[in-house]
Amino acid sequence: MTQPQHNPWTRQTQGPGVPAPGPVQPPVQPQPAQHQPLGAQAPQYGVPAPAPEERLPKFAIPAADTLWWLGVHGGSGETTMSRLLPGTHAAGHRWPIPPPPVPTPIVLVARTHAYGLRAAQRAATEWASGVVSGVSVLGLVLIADAPGRLPRVLDDFADIVGGGVPRVWDIPWIEEWRRGEDPTPDNTPDEVFEVLESIYALRASNQAVYPASY
């Protein structure tokens, strides 16, 4: 199974005349605390699956080759996330299904408005019900849909949705991206670096987290 390319989004500090260090090597054991799952860790058979018309479509991939970003609704930001971490792919709002026996790692992506959170909840429920074979959901990235704090009702709903997946990462509102600028290290805040470093390390040290049955 191929790994993502080296992570260019690691913050590096250097003094005058001191070469920048190479990419940070992620630990293998034990996992750092921020990588530990806080929500549901695996499909929970007996969870009712969403109605067929509410499920995400699927498509076949040749092998569980890399990390996939699965945007659970249009405009979720899955393409942006794939550009941020080289060697990963946007799934086109579909479950990428490899042949047995190794599942492919997936991070769900959604916006923080009510429509996005409901879509994330449906996708998490679909995964938890066991009707999606061959995927290993690492967590959910929530991308702010507007500047400022979430309204209380949406913040509470996001907490509920987050309980249905192993981990949740938050991406703040970034005005430069809204204006159509390509994501670069220069227009990306520290919070995004921290998210990418966490996901990169998790992916690199766990090739098949929570294997799904076939």
Side-chain angles (χ1 to χ4, degrees):
M1 182 184 299
T2 59
Q3 295 288 343
Q5 301 171 15
H6 77 272
N7 183 9
W9 294 84
T10 299
R11 290 287 195 195
Q12 297 177 355
T13 59
Q14 57 180 332
V18 178
V24 174
Q25 297 299 317
V28 176
Q29 291 292 339
Q31 291 188 50
Q34 66 267 29
H35 299 161
Q36 297 295 340
L38 299 176
Q41 301 180 32
Q44 304 158 50
Y45 301 103
V47 172
E53 65 272 14
E54 294 183 335
R55 302 177 192 175
L56 293 170
K58 303 173 184 176
F59 73 105
I61 58 175
D65 57 351
T66 187
L67 175 72
W68 290 80
W69 306 97
L70 173 52
V72 297
H73 60 89
S76 58
E78 64 170 26
T79 301
T80 297
M81 296 306 299
S82 69
R83 290 173 179 169
L84 288 170
L85 199 56
T88 65
H89 302 307
H93 315 298
R94 302 171 295 166
W95 296 103
I97 308 299
V102 180
T104 197
I106 288 175
V107 175
L108 304 177
V109 185
R111 296 283 179 173
T112 54
H113 45 54
Y115 177 81
L117 293 173
R118 285 195 294 266
Q121 187 177 47
R122 287 194 299 271
T125 301
E126 184 178 355
W127 166 70
S129 71
V131 299
V132 183
S133 297
V135 301
S136 175
V137 174
L138 304 185
L140 167 67
V141 166
L142 290 177
I143 302 179
D145 69 303
R149 295 177 60 86
L150 273 180
R152 178 64 179 272
V153 63
L154 292 180
D155 193 40
D156 290 345
F157 188 23
D159 288 341
I160 294 172
V161 174
V165 292
R167 306 163 185 80
V168 176
W169 296 276
D170 295 303
I171 299 289
W173 176 263
I174 300 172
E175 186 63 31
E176 291 84 356
W177 296 2
R178 180 185 184 228
R179 294 197 297 262
E181 297 181 20
D182 289 334
T184 68
D186 291 333
N187 65 17
T188 301
D190 289 342
E191 296 97 320
V192 180
F193 278 82
E194 293 169 2
V195 169
L196 293 171
E197 289 171 1
S198 174
I199 293 174
Y200 174 82
L202 177 69
R203 170 67 187 96
S205 60
N206 295 270
Q207 295 192 14
V209 184
Y210 318 130
S213 60
Y214 280 88

